[in-house]
Amino acid sequence: TAAVDLSCVWHNLEHMVCKWRPGENASSDTNYTLFYWFDGLKNPKKCSNYSMDQGIFRCLFDFSFPEVTSTYPAISILIRDDSEEIRPVCASKNPTTLVKPATPRSVELSKINDGIYIEWSESDTFPENCLFYEVKYHSGDSDTAQIIEVIFLCYWGTCFSLSSTPHVANLNNTNFPHVDPNSKYIFKVRAKPKPECYSSKLVSDWSEEKSIGEKMDSTFYLVLIVTIPLIVAISTIILLVYLKRLKILILPPIPDPREILKRMFGEQSEDFQVSKKL
């Protein structure tokens, strides 16, 4: 009758979501209740925000420690029912293994010289230098995406990127130099806890995709290849006709003297014959 498959996720160091399934022999009307406690908390706290979907219980509660740090005391979780027929279950969890960062927001893209500059929002709930980021991108001409890790080391207020495009930057931006100016690029970002701060393997969800640049349509190229020779041919014909007329206007043809004499003598011969008949 005890709750089974208990799992919890600590979202952005702000609230925790725990899920579990009812015990195999628990009745359908069993009302499980979740309590939690950690060293430094005077009394156990009860979770009151419950939901159930497809037979899985879910409880959400605000969860944070007085001071943000990389080391936290273990959290004890108790799930039970008021009925004595339901066996309680208790679990102790290391919060640093449950950490899941929030999805990076406000992803902005801009072109600088021949590269692309990308910037995103940074979580303000994590200690400095305890997150790194992954940037996933691909061009509109390729279906194969690439992922680079954007890792920073900070010394005396200055942060240096250890990504594949090293440069001095803040914790929430990077750039991609030497991109194709005629291609469309699509980017998205996610955050991951640094192992030196947290033992969690959880990563944030990918941010909303953002794109920059315009992909040239292959149909456009085909139309261009057909249209340009056609325009050149028509223009050539029009130019030849125009030049021929222009030549006639500037240099009119010179009459043949033989034709002029022939017409003159022919007219005189006709006049002589007419006068002779008269």
Side-chain angles (χ1 to χ4, degrees):
T1 58
V4 295
D5 297 337
L6 173 64
S7 64
C8 297
V9 177
W10 192 10
H11 292 272
N12 208 39
L13 306 183
E14 294 178 312
H15 62 271
M16 190 168 291
V17 175
C18 292
K19 297 180 181 180
W20 65 90
R21 291 189 302 105
E24 183 179 353
N25 296 325
S27 60
S28 58
D29 59 349
T30 300
N31 291 320
Y32 292 101
T33 304
L34 184 146
F35 297 87
Y36 66 93
W37 179 88
F38 56 86
D39 189 17
L41 196 63
K42 292 182 178 180
N43 300 308
K45 288 191 175 183
K46 178 182 178 181
C47 178
S48 57
N49 187 4
Y50 290 94
S51 63
M52 185 175 181
D53 182 31
Q54 297 181 352
I56 297 177
F57 286 88
R58 179 179 183 272
C59 189
L60 182 150
F61 55 93
D62 292 335
F63 184 77
S64 61
F65 292 93
E67 295 182 2
V68 177
T69 177
S70 59
T71 58
Y72 299 99
I75 176 174
S76 297
I77 297 175
L78 170 67
I79 300 177
R80 65 177 179 83
D81 185 84
D82 293 336
S83 171
E84 294 181 356
E85 297 179 356
I86 302 300
R87 181 181 176 182
V89 61
C90 188
S92 178
K93 294 185 177 293
N94 178 359
T96 67
T97 65
L98 311 177
V99 174
K100 181 177 180 178
T103 304
R105 306 291 181 185
S106 304
V107 177
E108 300 293 339
L109 304 175
S110 58
K111 282 192 174 182
I112 298 179
N113 298 327
D114 58 347
I116 296 176
Y117 176 82
I118 177 171
E119 184 176 10
W120 56 89
S121 62
E122 184 185 1
S123 174
D124 56 0
T125 60
F126 281 82
E128 185 179 6
N129 206 23
C130 274
L131 290 178
F132 70 96
Y133 298 89
E134 287 184 340
V135 178
K136 187 175 184 179
Y137 72 99
H138 66 91
S139 67
D141 300 326
S142 173
D143 295 330
T144 304
Q146 300 184 51
I147 297 178
I148 67 164
E149 291 185 344
V150 183
I151 304 175
F152 296 88
L153 292 179
C154 297
Y155 300 99
W156 298 289
T158 302
C159 298
F160 297 86
S161 170
L162 299 182
S163 66
S164 58
T165 57
H167 67 295
V168 178
N170 295 320
L171 292 174
N172 59 339
N173 60 64
T174 188
N175 58 39
F176 295 80
H178 312 301
V179 297
D180 184 357
N182 296 320
S183 293
K184 178 180 180 181
Y185 289 88
I186 301 170
F187 291 85
K188 55 185 177 180
V189 185
R190 71 179 179 184
K192 301 179 71 174
K194 282 189 176 181
E196 55 265 34
C197 296
Y198 304 100
S199 303
S200 175
K201 302 297 183 182
L202 301 175
V203 299
S204 75
D205 297 330
W206 286 107
S207 67
E208 181 182 355
E209 286 187 344
K210 291 293 183 71
S211 62
I212 191 170
E214 294 295 335
K215 177 183 177 183
M216 300 299 287
D217 192 357
S218 58
T219 306
F220 174 77
Y221 284 111
L222 181 61
V223 172
L224 206 61
I225 292 173
V226 174
T227 304
I228 289 178
L230 185 62
I231 292 174
V232 171
I234 294 174
S235 300
T236 303
I237 294 173
I238 293 174
L239 184 62
L240 290 174
V241 172
Y242 176 76
L243 290 176
K244 185 176 181 181
R245 291 184 178 180
L246 189 62
K247 181 180 179 182
I248 293 174
L249 292 174
I250 297 175
L251 298 173
I254 300 174
D256 189 354
R258 291 176 299 177
E259 293 293 333
I260 295 175
L261 293 174
K262 184 177 179 181
R263 285 200 302 270
M264 290 177 58
F265 285 109
E267 291 175 358
Q268 291 178 0
S269 176
E270 290 178 359
D271 293 339
F272 176 77
Q273 292 177 0
V274 171
S275 60
K276 187 176 181 180
K277 289 179 180 179
L278 295 176

